[in-house]
Amino acid sequence: MSGARVDYIAPWWTYWLHNFPHINLSFQTVDNTFSPKDNNYLQSLIFLAIIAAICLGFNLLFLLVYLTCLCCCKKGEAEETKKSPSSCFVWIAVFAGLVCW
């Protein structure tokens, strides 16, 4: 493959993921060289995917709690009153962003 492009610049997140500590499912560190046929390396990628899935679960849980509070707790208020949106949504969005950033 002599015609390969040499001017490719990898995105910032690939460097971040490559330098992230690679831990397999037994909580042992793994060499971070790219080797997709190595079982320990694949386990470390699965571990990263599990971390991302847990963050997504927390995000969805906070969103569910917020929407439940929004729908159920505010039914007693009059609909004609105009109030500024509560800061509850802002803080949930900030916390969810920090958890999964």
Side-chain angles (χ1 to χ4, degrees):
M1 190 187 245
S2 62
R5 288 179 36 178
V6 293
D7 60 343
Y8 176 74
I9 298 173
W12 64 270
W13 56 271
T14 58
Y15 292 112
W16 184 79
L17 284 175
H18 183 73
N19 291 327
F20 197 78
H22 288 68
I23 299 171
N24 65 5
L25 297 177
S26 301
F27 297 108
Q28 298 171 349
T29 58
V30 177
D31 187 23
N32 62 355
T33 57
F34 181 74
S35 56
K37 299 201 184 229
D38 184 20
N39 285 336
N40 281 329
Y41 187 78
L42 291 176
Q43 284 183 10
S44 71
L45 294 179
I46 291 171
F47 186 78
L48 285 176
I50 289 171
I51 298 280
I54 289 171
C55 287
L56 176 65
F58 278 131
N59 263 337
L60 292 176
L61 179 69
F62 289 129
L63 185 64
L64 176 71
V65 169
Y66 170 71
L67 290 176
T68 302
C69 289
L70 185 68
C71 293
C72 296
C73 299
K74 299 212 175 192
K75 283 188 177 181
E77 293 182 9
E79 293 182 12
E80 289 106 18
T81 61
K82 293 189 176 187
K83 292 185 177 180
S84 63
S86 72
S87 62
C88 179
F89 174 73
V90 174
W91 284 110
I92 288 177
V94 167
F95 184 73
L98 289 175
V99 165
C100 291
W101 182 56

